[in-house]
Amino acid sequence: MIKSVEFITSAPDVAQCVEHHLPEYAFIGRSNVGKSSLINMLCHKPIAKTSQKPGKTLLINHFLIDGRWYLIDLPGYGYAKAGKTQREKLRRMIERYCLLREPLVSLFVLIDSRLEPQAIDLEFMEWLGENEQPFAIVFTKTDKLTNTQLATNIERYKATLLETWEELPPIFLTSAEKKTGEQQLLDYIGSINESLKTDKTGR
Ligand code: GTP
Ligand code: MG
């Protein structure tokens, strides 16, 4: 469980992100997918703004976790009502962050477990692949489905991914409502942090 969360900064662009030497993990997905809710579940604190209205997060929000790693709340992509200019601006900001952010270790791409695979998410993950940016998939809102529906949707998603990917990324199932998936996500981040430590010191 996360013990301490410190809000560090909100940056309008990667150029304004804080300099540090800790691993950074960013949460991203379509607007309203449940990013802020998931982050709040992980932190056991309402640190990220949640709302019924999509498009709330417009900045790159940095949180220092247990003094060991950074959690980044990125804006949602593809929010239709945001207008074309705003959407384009956010897309560029997100892409710049993904390409240029040195401490970034992995992204967590959030996917609404209720929906069939959406082009916008698949294309974003393909773009990450082309740019060699590691990511994991986090399915959200699993409490809104029965176990059978959930299993069907996850299998369908995997099958779709395997049409373009040779290997599946790590996949996590979460519900901010039921508070599930927390330990798996934190274990995964913890294991990467450990391996980064040995990379530096373990030779
Ligand atoms: P933006 O920052 O606006 O792009 O949205 P977001 O991705 O941060 O989503 P947010 O966490 O604000 O959640 C959007 C809506 O989905 C809210 O009404 C949440 O209460 C709801 N929600 C989020 N996660 C879950 C979940 O696990 N289960 C259920 N049932 N509802 C959820
Ligand atoms: Mg949000």
Side-chain angles (χ1 to χ4, degrees):
M1 193 175 136
I2 288 174
K3 293 193 193 75
S4 78
V5 182
E6 193 183 336
F7 171 73
I8 303 295
T9 190
S10 289
D13 185 73
V14 66
Q16 282 86 43
C17 287
V18 279
E19 250 189 73
H20 63 75
H21 300 282
L22 293 171
E24 199 162 286
Y25 298 86
F27 289 76
I28 190 161
R30 291 171 80 201
S31 190
N32 218 36
V33 69
K35 281 183 306 295
S36 301
S37 303
L38 181 83
I39 290 169
N40 292 343
M41 172 185 91
L42 291 176
C43 296
H44 293 258
K45 267 189 202 160
I47 57 163
K49 284 188 198 129
T50 61
S51 73
Q52 309 288 348
K53 279 199 207 126
K56 268 255 159 186
T57 313
L58 298 173
L59 298 163
I60 304 169
N61 298 309
H62 296 54
F63 299 93
L64 177 60
I65 308 296
D66 294 339
R68 292 206 46 195
W69 57 278
Y70 278 82
L71 183 158
I72 310 297
D73 185 12
L74 287 171
Y77 52 73
Y79 176 46
K81 284 197 189 131
K84 201 170 176 225
T85 321
Q86 172 81 331
R87 259 204 323 273
E88 273 300 298
K89 200 177 142 206
L90 282 182
R91 191 180 60 84
R92 269 200 307 278
M93 181 233 254
I94 290 164
E95 288 185 357
R96 281 169 52 77
Y97 171 84
C98 295
L99 294 175
L100 302 173
R101 186 62 176 155
E102 219 165 292
L104 176 63
V105 172
S106 181
L107 286 156
F108 290 100
V109 178
L110 275 60
I111 306 277
D112 190 327
S113 59
R114 295 171 299 174
L115 305 179
E116 55 183 79
Q118 305 285 303
I120 189 165
D121 297 318
L122 297 169
E123 283 162 14
F124 179 66
M125 289 186 275
E126 270 167 44
W127 181 84
L128 290 175
E130 283 159 14
N131 289 284
E132 294 176 19
Q133 173 57 57
F135 68 91
I137 294 181
V138 177
F139 287 100
T140 62
K141 308 192 187 185
T142 57
D143 59 282
K144 294 203 175 193
L145 296 171
T146 65
N147 286 342
T148 317
Q149 286 171 329
L150 180 63
T152 307
N153 285 6
I154 303 304
E155 282 317 307
R156 177 176 58 184
Y157 215 100
K158 285 181 181 170
T160 307
L161 287 170
L162 288 171
E163 287 169 14
T164 45
W165 293 84
E166 264 172 48
E167 266 180 76
L168 293 171
I171 288 175
F172 299 92
L173 303 185
T174 67
S175 160
E177 185 73 30
K178 290 261 152 58
K179 315 235 177 284
T180 52
E182 172 189 358
Q183 198 55 49
Q184 288 85 344
L185 274 173
L186 293 181
D187 284 351
Y188 177 69
I189 292 170
S191 71
I192 299 180
N193 287 343
E194 279 306 308
S195 71
L196 292 172
K197 247 177 30 193
T198 25
D199 276 358
K200 278 202 192 115
T201 54
R203 261 162 300 143

